[in-house]
């Protein structure tokens, strides 16, 4: 059929000149133009093909060649008449019907006589010839696609280009068909609408005619006696007067109803509304059209009043009304009744308002509305009145169901509002100010000033509201139970289960608060996000979670003029339609918005965290939680399904099964972070806040962590497993410090590997180690002798094993590090010793003997540890031993570092003096400056002294610096043999070196004097003869030197002559040297 030339009412649609080129360029899956829908033919997009892929027909080589050679292989060529006749015969089955499974013969043109019809006919023929498999109902598109991707002999990958060309040709042919016949399509649509309109008009006329005929028939069958007509009229007039009286009475009821709703006298409002509904639903007034608006208004008011009652009930249950502010107590910083009159007044009030209400509650008689007072002033009586009004309306079951359904949302909103209020009362910069600037962000130890105040404010305020909400539910529970008993109604199942649900939600919120402010590891047991494992098909459309918001209007200014005007308009509409809601809209505009946001986000969102989570917050979380649970026991109804004894079991399970492992992991992690921090072994910039001398940053952080842990343990039942955990961390920190110390005193060996530097090796073992330790631990009476022995042993060791530059801990940074290590370990050991507190094993409550688990809730909240009280680590006689061993190891490591400093400064002096003695002292002219090595030694000693003065106490300073002059005085004489040659100018330079050293040492040791070494080189100036003569005269006793030292001095006196280039001078010098040495031996052999 061709639609190209059909016109409607003699007109053709004028759409020919519109944009035809783009009209049919839309996506083929969107349907036909003009709202049409393309019908999916069988095989059009493929069916299911159960057979094997190899059963599909393949094109022969000749057919492929023809398809490639023809520029337009889909335009049907001219076909002989016999072929057309054969096609028409083949296109029909035996019954004369058309075979839709194959294309028509060439003799007929099913798609029209135009070029588009011929084009699509050619495409269909090509599909039937080469792609007939996809036209079958059992075709599987996936099989065809896989065959097209397979280029093997079993696949059809070589036909892929033909497949794409066929698809493009088919689309092109379809577009040509649409372009050719679009005018016929448009004309047929207009004609169809006009025909449909005519049919509808005819139907309407037929119905009107039928009604007229029925009315005429009725009139023909009614008799008309005059008397009967008058009686009927009189009766109708009387009924009309009664109806008019009822109408007048009903008309004034809406105004009265609005007034009573506005005044919150809902009992009288319900009575008035029910009277009005009973009258207007009378059969006499049912057919009065003038009362339709009033009837609609009263029906709407019934629903609106029920909604208002429910909203008012929830306002007082969940403390949204300002009249509920007296039911809960806000957090007060000063909790001492003597300094807080309001708190003292609340303590002396005696009976709680809930108990007074329950004592005077009488549900056996109907409640009478007192219109002379504001019903909202007594919140519990107001709840009673609302429930009585709902019962009169028959909506009591609706109220119970609504309370149960809205309980999670409302409770979540209470927590959210409380969190926002506390957040506003405590600005963020005060919560994370001074403390966070001094500590790493991950070291949140809790109980710190403003941070602790924030958490106390949140918990005390929230639990106070929770108590008030539980009291409201208890009051509603008792009222509903009394109404059910009075009316003989069926007791709703949710009546007794309401408190069970409330308790479950309280558990959930408390568990959430505990986890949010305690857990830091993202425990998957408390992860509210759920991962979907159902929609694994990537082609399947994923359904959006409708509980989550799509977007949020975050830039709305609620105080702008436009928003205020819109709010006023909304209030006027509410006042006209539903009286009583206007004041609430003003009062709760912000709260309603907050509740709605919570309603949509609550299943997938948590509450805002005011502080960073830390296990140390347990001392702040536990006391108010326990106090709330104790109070809740008194509020739970006796006939509820909740066992009072199990109210605290969930808290026991949470703390024992979750908090204990979390505490172990968190403490280990925090300690590890304090160990591996980049600045852990650097000087703490705020050391003055902790110690008298600079300490390591990691040490101060580590002790702060231990102290916070001990403070937290004072607020929970003691368990020696926690003490053992601390001891383990103390051992770990000792090992870290020991490893750091060995890194400072270790040097590489030339042959490979590492070894200790000389000072560390000397301190570790040997006779010299014993002497040094004796000097440190001994008294001053024997110090001089011990220092003499120390100098002799040290000179002897260094002469046997000469020192190298890398044997000395020479750099200023390493010396500072050793000083910091000593002072840090000493400070830490002292602080840890202050935490030591041994108690009897029986006084430590570790296990509940009956249940085998801890009873954390047995802790009295009033006995919690105060922040100002001293902190102790409670230990038994069994656990104090490992603790004392760790402290001893700290002292030992600190002493090792101190002794290393003591020995190292002496090794450095010996090393530098050795360089001085090996310098040339055969000088042609007098020297005016000391040796450069002397200047370097002086600079090193001053730098060393500065570090010691800053980082070590006076006792340790004296221990290290005492005896330095003695060592220098001794080594300048004992190692004089290292001088190869010396003349008078060289001796004068040596005396200058000694003088410079002596003056520099006086800034370290005030009474130092290098008299022995100065006298030694003074003898050199007198010459060998004078030395020998003095030795003969005194036997060497008054000289103060040993025989070997005097021999070295005599050899130095002849060193210049021995080095002479004149043989006779050198020979005479050797002979004279031998004579003098022999004389010295004879005169000093017994000295």
């Amino acid at each position: 059929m061709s639609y190209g030339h059909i016109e409607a009412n003699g007109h053709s649609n004028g759409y020919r000149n519109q944009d035809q080129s783009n009209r049919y360029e839309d996506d083929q899956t969107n349907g036909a133009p003009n709202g049409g829908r393309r019908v999916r033919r069988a095989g059009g997009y493929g069916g299911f093909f159960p057979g094997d892929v190899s059963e599909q027909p393949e094109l022969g080589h000749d057919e492929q060649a023809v398809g490639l050679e023809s520029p337009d292989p889909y335009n049907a060529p001219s076909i002989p008449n016999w072929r057309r006749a054969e096609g028409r015969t083949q296109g029909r089955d035996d019954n004369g019907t058309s075979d839709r499974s194959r294309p028509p013969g060439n003799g007929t043109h099913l798609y029209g006589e135009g070029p588009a019809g011929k084009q699509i006919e050619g495409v269909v023929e090509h599909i039937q010839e080469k792609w007939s498999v996809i036209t079958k109902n059992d075709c599987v598109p996936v099989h065809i696609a896989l065959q097209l991707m397979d280029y093997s002999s079993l696949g059809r990958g070589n036909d892929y280009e033909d497949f794409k060309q066929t698809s493009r040709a088919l689309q092109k042919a379809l577009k040509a068909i649409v372009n050719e016949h679009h005018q016929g399509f448009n004309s047929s649509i207009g004609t169809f609408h006009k025909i449909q309109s005519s049919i509808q008009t005819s139907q309407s006329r037929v119905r009107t005619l039928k009604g007229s005929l029925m009315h005429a028939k009725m009139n023909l069958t009614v008799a008309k006696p005059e008397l009967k007509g008058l009686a009927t009229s009189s009766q109708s007039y009387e009924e009309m007067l009664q109806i008019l009286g009822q109408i007048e009475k009903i008309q004034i009821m809406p105004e009265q109803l609005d007034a009573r709703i506005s005044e919150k006298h809902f009992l009288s409002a319900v009575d008035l509304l029910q009277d009005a509904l009973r009258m207007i639903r009378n059969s006499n007034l049912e057919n009065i059209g003038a009362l339709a608006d009033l009837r609609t208004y009263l029906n709407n008011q019934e629903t609106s009043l029920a909604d208002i009652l429910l909203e008012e009930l929830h306002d007082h249950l969940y403390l949204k009304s300002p009249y509920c502010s007296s039911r809960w107590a806000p957090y007060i910083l000063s909790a001492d009744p003597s300094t807080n009159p309001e708190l003292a007044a609340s303590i002396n009030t005696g009976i709680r308002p809930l108990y007074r209400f329950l004592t005077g509650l009488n549900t056996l008689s109907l409640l009478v509305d007192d219109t002379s007072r504001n019903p909202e002033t007594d919140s519990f009586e107001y709840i009673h009145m609302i429930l009585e009004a709902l019962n009169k309306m028959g909506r009591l079951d609706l109220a119970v169901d609504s309370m149960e359904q809205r309980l999670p949302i409302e409770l979540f909103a209470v927590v959210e509002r409380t969190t926002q209020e506390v957040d506003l009362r405590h600005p963020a910069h005060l919560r994370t100010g001074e403390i966070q600037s001094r500590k790493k962000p991950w070291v949140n130890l809790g109980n710190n000033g403003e941070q602790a105040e924030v958490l106390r404010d949140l918990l005390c305020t929230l639990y106070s509201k929770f108590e008030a909400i539980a009291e409201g539910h208890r009051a509603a529970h008792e009222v509903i139970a009394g109404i059910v008993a009075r009316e003989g109604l069926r007791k709703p199942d949710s009546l007794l289960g309401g408190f069970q649900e409330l308790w479950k939600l309280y558990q959930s919120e408390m568990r959430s608060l505990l986890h949010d402010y305690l857990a830091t590891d993202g425990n998957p047991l408390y992860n509210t996000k759920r991962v979907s494992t159902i929609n694994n098909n990537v082609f399947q459309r994923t359904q959006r979670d409708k509980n989550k918001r799509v977007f949020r209007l975050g830039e709305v200014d609620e105080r702008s003029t436009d928003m205020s005007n819109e709010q006023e308009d909304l209030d006027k509409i509410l006042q006209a339609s539903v009286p009583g809601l206007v004041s609430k809209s003003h009062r709760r505009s912000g709260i309603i918005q907050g509740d709605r946001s919570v309603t949509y986000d609550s299943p997938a969102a948590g509450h805002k965290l005011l502080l960073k989570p830390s296990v140390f917050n347990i001392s702040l979380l536990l006391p108010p939680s326990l106090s709330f649970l104790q109070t809740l026991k008194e509020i739970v109804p006796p006939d509820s399904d909740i066992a009072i004894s199990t109210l605290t079991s969930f808290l026991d399970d949470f703390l024992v099964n979750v908090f204990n492992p979390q505490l172990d992991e968190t403490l280990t992690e925090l300690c590890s972070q304090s160990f591996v921090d980049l600045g852990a072994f650097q000087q703490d910039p705020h050391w003055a806040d902790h110690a008298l001398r600079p300490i390591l940053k990691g040490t101060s952080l580590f002790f702060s962590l231990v102290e916070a842990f001990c403070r937290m343990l004072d607020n929970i039942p003691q368990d020696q497993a926690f003490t053992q955990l601390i001891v383990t961390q103390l051992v770990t920190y000792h090992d870290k410090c020991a490893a750091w110390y060995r890194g400072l005193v270790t040097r590489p060996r030339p042959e490979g590997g590492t070894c200790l530097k000389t000072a560390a090796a000397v301190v570790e073992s040997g006779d010299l180690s014993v002497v040094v330790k004796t000097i440190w631990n001994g008294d001053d009476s024997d110090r001089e002798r011990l220092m003499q022995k120390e100098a002799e042993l040290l000179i002897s060791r260094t002469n046997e094993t000469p020192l190298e530059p890398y044997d000395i801990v020479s750099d200023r940074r390493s010396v500072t590090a050793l000083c910091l290590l000593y002072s840090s370990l000493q400070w830490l050991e002292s602080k840890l010793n202050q935490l030591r507190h041994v108690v009897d094993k029986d006084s430590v409550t570790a296990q509940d003997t009956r249940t085998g688990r801890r009873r954390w809730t047995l802790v009295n909240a009033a006995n919690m540890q105060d922040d100002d009280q001293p902190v102790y680590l409670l230990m038994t006689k069994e656990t104090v031993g490992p603790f004392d061993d760790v402290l001893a190891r700290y002292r030992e490591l600190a002493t090792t570092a101190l002794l290393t400093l003591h020995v190292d400064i002496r090794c450095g002096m010996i090393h530098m003096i050795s360089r001085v003695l090996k310098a040339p002292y055969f000088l042609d002219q007098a020297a005016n400056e000391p040796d450069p090595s002397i200047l370097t030694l002086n600079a090193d000693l001053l730098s060393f002294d500065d570090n010691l003065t800053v980082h070590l106490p006076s006792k340790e300073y004296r221990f290290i610096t005492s005896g330095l002059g003695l060592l220098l005085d001794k080594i300048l004489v004992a190692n004089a043999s290292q001088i190869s040659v010396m003349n008078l100018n060289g001796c004068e330079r040596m005396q200058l070196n000694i003088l410079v050293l002596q003056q520099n040492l006086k800034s370290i040791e005030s009474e130092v004097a290098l008299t022995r070494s100065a006298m030694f080189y003074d003898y050199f100036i007198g010459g060998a003869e004078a030395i020998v003569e003095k030795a003969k005269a005194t036997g060497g006793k008054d000289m103060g030197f040993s025989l070997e030292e005097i021999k070295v001095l005599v050899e130095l006196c002849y060193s210049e002559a021995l080095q002479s280039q004149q043989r006779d001078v050198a020979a005479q010098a050797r002979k004279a040297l031998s004579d003098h040495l022999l004389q010295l031996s004879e005169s000093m052999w017994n000295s």
Side-chain angles (χ1 to χ4, degrees):
M1 177 179 179
S2 176
Y3 300 97
H5 303 287
I6 297 178
E7 298 179 357
N9 298 329
H11 301 281
S12 62
N13 292 332
Y15 302 123
R16 184 67 177 178
N17 294 329
Q18 296 183 5
D19 190 9
Q20 297 180 5
S21 61
N22 294 326
R23 183 177 180 86
Y24 303 103
E25 295 295 329
D26 296 335
D27 188 5
Q28 297 297 320
T29 61
N30 293 334
N34 299 327
R37 185 183 298 272
R38 176 177 289 115
V39 179
R40 183 172 180 177
R41 298 181 179 88
Y45 289 91
F48 292 93
F49 185 70
D52 189 78
V53 177
S54 60
E55 297 178 5
Q56 300 183 13
E58 299 183 1
L59 295 177
H61 177 73
D62 296 337
E63 294 175 342
Q64 295 179 8
V66 172
L68 293 174
E69 293 173 359
S70 176
D72 191 2
Y74 307 114
N75 287 331
S78 59
I79 301 175
N81 294 330
W82 63 268
R83 182 63 177 166
R84 296 178 181 177
E86 182 181 356
R88 285 194 298 269
T89 305
Q90 294 177 355
R92 302 284 181 175
D93 56 9
D94 296 338
N95 298 326
T97 59
S98 175
D99 186 3
R100 302 288 299 216
S101 64
R102 66 183 66 185
N106 292 333
T108 55
H109 296 281
L110 182 61
Y111 305 101
E113 297 294 335
K118 294 179 181 181
Q119 186 177 358
I120 198 171
E121 185 175 351
V123 174
V124 171
E125 282 187 351
H126 182 75
I127 291 174
Q128 291 294 337
E129 290 175 2
K130 296 193 64 175
W131 302 99
S132 59
V133 65
I134 64 176
T135 63
K136 298 179 181 179
N137 293 332
D138 56 356
C139 175
V140 180
V142 176
H143 291 176
I144 302 301
L146 293 175
Q147 286 181 341
L148 290 174
M149 295 172 63
D150 187 5
Y151 286 85
S152 64
S153 59
L154 299 178
R156 300 189 65 178
N158 297 327
D159 296 338
Y160 180 65
E161 292 298 327
D162 181 73
F163 181 84
K164 292 195 297 182
Q165 189 176 5
T166 303
S167 176
R168 288 192 295 268
L170 180 60
Q171 294 178 4
K172 183 177 180 182
L174 290 174
K175 290 180 180 179
I177 285 291
V178 174
N179 290 335
E180 185 174 341
H181 299 287
H182 75 281
Q183 287 186 348
F185 294 156
N186 293 338
S187 300
S188 62
I189 291 173
T191 304
F192 171 77
H193 285 307
K194 290 186 178 181
I195 294 174
Q196 186 180 22
S197 178
S198 300
I199 292 174
Q200 290 176 352
T201 303
S202 300
Q203 289 177 346
S204 178
R205 292 177 179 175
V206 169
R207 283 194 294 269
T208 303
L209 181 60
K210 182 178 179 181
S212 300
L213 292 175
M214 294 297 294
H215 185 66
K217 181 178 180 182
M218 186 181 299
N219 290 336
L220 292 175
T221 57
V222 175
K224 296 181 180 180
E226 295 297 334
L227 294 177
K228 185 175 181 180
L230 293 175
T232 303
S233 299
S234 176
Q235 186 178 1
S236 300
Y237 292 149
E238 185 178 357
E239 292 176 355
M240 290 173 63
L241 290 175
Q242 294 178 358
I243 291 173
L244 289 175
Q246 293 178 358
I247 292 175
E248 291 178 356
K249 186 177 181 180
I250 292 174
Q251 284 179 339
I252 63 175
M253 285 185 174
E255 184 177 355
Q256 298 175 354
L257 181 62
D258 294 345
R260 295 182 184 180
I261 292 177
S262 301
E263 296 171 357
K264 304 294 184 67
H265 295 291
F266 294 115
L267 278 177
S268 57
V270 169
D271 293 336
L272 186 62
L273 178 61
Q274 289 181 342
D275 292 340
L277 288 174
R278 192 180 305 109
M279 294 173 62
I280 203 168
R281 290 173 182 173
N282 193 345
S283 59
N284 295 330
L285 304 179
E286 190 174 358
N287 296 325
I288 299 178
L291 297 177
D293 294 340
L294 187 58
R295 184 180 296 106
T296 303
Y297 169 79
L298 292 176
N299 290 331
N300 293 337
Q301 279 295 85
E302 183 179 20
T303 304
S304 299
L305 183 56
D307 294 339
I308 293 173
L309 290 174
L310 290 177
E311 287 298 326
E312 291 291 332
L313 176 62
H314 285 85
D315 283 354
H316 280 258
L317 284 177
Y318 300 104
L319 313 177
K320 299 178 186 179
S321 173
Y323 294 96
C324 299
S325 59
S326 60
R327 288 173 50 193
W328 61 278
Y331 175 72
I332 302 174
L333 180 60
S334 176
D336 187 4
S338 61
T339 60
N340 192 337
E342 295 182 0
L343 182 62
S346 63
I347 294 176
N348 296 327
T349 52
I351 304 176
R352 298 170 67 99
L354 173 65
Y355 301 146
R356 287 200 299 267
F357 167 76
L358 295 179
T359 302
L361 179 62
N362 181 17
T363 56
L364 298 178
S365 59
L366 294 175
L367 182 65
V368 179
D369 191 3
D370 186 4
T371 59
S372 62
R373 64 182 184 88
N374 185 2
E376 275 194 287
T377 54
D378 190 339
S379 183
F380 296 125
E381 289 292 343
Y382 191 65
I383 292 174
H384 184 191
M385 182 192 68
I386 292 175
L387 292 174
E388 289 284 1
L390 287 169
N391 179 51
K392 284 188 175 183
M393 297 181 68
R395 304 291 182 92
L396 187 60
D397 54 345
L398 177 63
V400 175
D401 294 339
S402 177
M403 289 169 58
E404 182 179 4
Q405 293 171 5
R406 292 178 58 173
L407 181 59
I409 298 173
E410 295 289 352
L411 205 59
F412 187 92
V414 169
V415 180
E416 193 70 15
R417 287 197 302 271
T418 305
T419 304
Q420 293 175 1
E421 293 170 0
V422 175
D423 190 20
L424 292 176
R425 287 198 293 268
H426 302 274
H429 70 278
L430 295 179
R431 299 199 299 265
T432 58
E434 179 182 359
I435 295 173
Q436 291 301 325
S437 65
R438 298 190 177 185
K439 294 182 172 64
K440 286 289 185 181
W442 43 265
V443 186
N444 180 17
L445 303 182
N447 298 357
N448 292 321
E450 184 65 24
Q451 291 183 324
E453 202 63 34
V454 170
L455 204 53
R456 291 193 187 100
D457 189 357
L458 174 65
L459 294 176
C460 293
T461 304
L462 183 60
Y463 287 145
S464 178
K465 290 184 178 181
F466 278 1
E467 292 177 13
I469 292 172
E471 290 178 348
H473 279 268
R474 171 67 185 277
H477 177 276
E478 297 297 338
V479 171
I480 295 174
I483 293 174
V484 169
R486 183 188 68 207
E487 303 290 342
L489 303 176
R490 183 182 64 85
K491 204 168 191 179
D493 297 335
S494 57
L495 178 60
L496 295 178
F499 254 89
Q500 183 73 21
E501 185 66 23
L502 178 65
W503 170 234
K504 290 180 180 178
L505 291 173
Y506 275 170
Q507 288 187 37
S508 177
E509 290 295 341
M510 294 178 67
R511 189 181 292 111
S512 176
L513 283 173
L514 291 172
H515 180 266
D516 288 345
Y517 287 100
L518 291 178
T520 58
D521 59 343
N523 194 328
L525 294 176
Y526 296 89
N527 190 3
T528 57
K529 297 181 180 179
R530 299 179 179 178
V531 180
S532 176
T533 58
I534 300 175
N535 299 326
N536 293 326
N537 187 357
V538 296
F539 300 102
Q540 183 177 357
R541 182 179 179 182
T542 305
Q543 295 294 330
R544 184 181 68 84
D545 187 0
K546 296 182 179 180
N547 290 325
K548 297 182 179 179
R549 280 186 175 181
V550 178
F551 63 90
R552 176 179 294 178
L553 299 177
E555 302 296 333
V556 177
D557 185 7
E558 298 180 359
R559 299 182 180 180
S560 62
T561 305
D562 296 338
M563 290 293 292
S564 300
N565 295 335
E566 294 294 336
Q567 183 67 41
E568 291 177 0
D569 295 341
L570 178 61
D571 292 341
K572 293 178 181 179
I573 296 174
L574 292 175
Q575 177 65 28
S577 59
V578 185
L581 289 181
V582 176
S583 59
K584 290 172 61 178
S585 65
H586 280 298
R587 173 164 48 87
R588 299 193 299 125
S589 58
I591 299 177
I592 293 175
Q593 181 180 1
D595 291 347
R596 289 177 179 174
S597 64
V598 170
T599 301
Y600 293 115
D601 288 349
S602 58
H607 306 294
K608 177 182 179 180
L609 288 181
L610 302 180
L611 298 175
K612 292 184 179 181
S614 172
V615 292
F616 301 98
N617 289 332
I618 188 65
S619 59
L620 300 174
L621 294 170
L622 197 57
S625 300
L626 297 179
S627 177
F628 167 68
L629 292 176
Q630 295 298 329
T631 305
L632 191 63
K633 291 181 179 180
E634 303 174 359
I635 302 176
V636 174
D639 56 348
S640 66
D641 296 336
I642 303 175
I644 302 298
S645 59
T646 62
L647 278 179
T648 57
S649 60
F650 89 97
L651 187 58
D652 293 328
D653 296 336
F654 176 84
L655 294 178
V656 174
N657 299 326
V658 178
F659 173 74
N660 190 6
Q662 177 70 28
L663 182 62
D664 190 349
E665 296 174 3
T666 303
L667 181 62
T668 304
E669 180 182 359
L670 290 178
C671 291
S672 300
Q673 290 178 354
S674 67
F675 300 159
V676 302
D677 185 60
L678 295 178
F681 290 98
Q682 296 178 2
Q683 180 175 315
D684 188 358
H686 304 285
W687 60 267
D689 297 339
H690 310 287
L692 299 177
R693 297 287 176 178
I695 59 175
L696 294 173
K697 187 177 182 180
T699 305
S700 62
L701 290 179
F702 177 70
F703 179 75
S704 299
L705 191 64
V706 173
E707 186 181 31
F709 189 86
C710 295
R711 189 181 301 278
M712 180 197 63
L713 293 183
D714 287 339
N715 295 329
I716 60 178
Q718 295 299 320
D719 190 341
Q720 291 306 294
F722 295 144
T723 303
Q724 185 60 40
L725 180 61
I726 292 181
V727 173
T728 302
Q729 297 305 319
L730 294 177
V731 172
T732 304
Y733 187 69
H734 170 270
D735 296 339
K736 293 289 183 181
C737 292
W740 186 61
Y741 163 77
R742 296 190 71 86
L744 293 174
V745 298
T746 302
R747 67 173 180 86
R749 288 181 177 178
E751 61 272 12
T754 59
C755 65
L756 294 177
K757 295 182 179 180
T758 301
V762 166
V763 170
E764 198 169 73
S765 61
D767 296 338
L768 185 56
S769 174
V770 175
V771 173
V772 174
K773 292 179 181 178
T774 305
I775 294 174
W776 168 243
N777 297 321
D779 53 9
D780 296 336
S781 60
D782 201 24
R783 180 179 293 271
E784 187 69 21
R785 183 188 64 82
L786 291 174
M787 286 192 296
Q788 289 281 358
K789 185 177 181 181
E790 177 194 32
E792 293 173 0
L793 291 175
L794 194 57
I795 293 172
S796 175
R797 179 185 176 94
T798 55
N799 288 337
E800 293 175 1
T801 307
L803 295 173
E804 297 294 337
Y806 44 77
D807 277 321
I808 311 301
V809 186
S810 57
D811 60 302
R812 184 185 182 95
R813 184 172 58 183
S814 298
V815 173
T816 303
L818 289 175
C819 293
L820 287 174
L821 179 63
Y822 173 81
S823 59
S824 299
L825 292 178
Q826 286 291 103
W827 175 83
L828 181 60
E829 188 270 338
S830 174
K831 288 292 185 180
L832 291 175
N833 198 34
Q834 294 176 10
L835 297 178
R836 185 179 182 272
H837 187 67
V838 182
V839 296
D840 295 333
K841 185 176 182 180
D842 296 337
S843 63
V844 180
T845 307
Q847 298 287 333
D848 186 355
T849 56
R850 292 175 298 173
T851 61
R853 64 178 182 179
R854 298 182 189 87
R855 294 295 296 174
W856 302 65
T857 52
L858 295 178
V859 180
N860 188 356
N863 295 330
M864 291 295 177
Q865 178 74 30
D866 188 12
D867 295 343
D868 298 330
Q869 295 180 359
V871 182
Y872 296 106
L873 177 61
L874 300 184
M875 293 174 285
T876 61
K877 295 181 180 179
E878 290 77 10
T879 57
V880 73
F883 182 81
D884 292 339
D885 293 339
V886 175
L887 297 188
R889 294 173 65 180
Y890 278 146
R891 290 191 295 269
E892 181 181 358
L893 181 57
T895 303
T896 302
L898 181 66
L899 298 181
T900 302
L901 289 172
H902 176 89
V903 176
D904 184 76
I905 189 173
R906 287 158 173 76
C907 290
M909 292 171 56
I910 294 174
H911 175 66
M912 296 304 296
I913 293 300
S914 297
R915 293 174 58 181
V916 170
L917 294 175
K918 293 177 181 179
Y921 287 95
F922 185 79
L923 305 178
D924 296 333
Q925 58 184 0
N928 298 324
E929 293 181 358
D931 191 90
S933 297
I934 294 295
L935 299 178
T936 303
L937 176 59
N938 286 338
D940 293 341
L941 289 175
L942 291 177
S943 175
F944 210 107
D945 180 72
D946 292 340
N947 277 330
L948 297 181
T949 304
V950 172
H951 295 96
L952 294 181
S954 58
K955 179 184 177 181
E956 286 78 2
Y957 174 82
R958 290 194 303 270
F959 166 70
I960 294 176
T961 58
S962 296
L964 294 180
L966 175 65
L967 177 63
L968 282 175
D969 203 17
K970 198 171 189 64
I971 195 173
L972 285 171
V973 175
N975 287 355
S977 59
Q978 296 180 6
I979 302 175
S980 60
V981 59
M982 176 182 286
N983 58 10
L984 291 177
N985 292 334
C987 184
E988 290 176 358
R989 186 174 189 179
M990 177 60 72
Q991 289 179 331
L992 179 61
N993 292 338
I994 294 173
L995 179 62
V996 171
L997 280 175
Q998 179 175 302
Q999 295 300 323
N1000 185 71
L1001 281 177
K1002 284 185 177 180
S1003 63
I1004 301 175
E1005 289 184 274
S1006 58
E1007 298 178 358
V1008 68
L1010 305 181
T1011 56
R1012 189 168 181 271
S1013 57
M1015 184 184 301
F1016 181 84
Y1017 290 101
D1018 286 341
Y1019 284 137
F1020 177 87
I1021 297 176
E1025 292 288 341
I1027 296 173
V1028 173
E1029 291 298 327
K1030 189 172 181 62
K1032 288 180 179 181
T1034 62
K1037 296 180 179 180
D1038 296 337
M1039 298 183 68
F1041 303 102
S1042 66
L1043 175 61
E1044 295 298 325
E1045 292 171 345
I1046 294 178
K1047 286 183 177 181
V1048 170
L1049 181 59
V1050 172
E1051 290 176 353
L1052 284 177
C1053 292
Y1054 285 102
S1055 62
E1056 180 180 4
L1058 292 174
Q1059 298 293 331
S1060 176
Q1061 299 295 329
Q1062 300 178 5
R1063 294 184 178 181
D1064 54 344
V1065 175
Q1068 293 177 3
R1070 281 193 295 270
K1071 182 179 179 182
L1073 176 61
S1074 299
D1075 293 340
H1076 287 159
L1077 292 179
L1078 180 60
Q1079 294 176 15
L1080 287 175
S1081 298
E1082 291 175 354
S1083 61
M1084 298 181 63
W1085 66 271
N1086 58 350
S1087 59

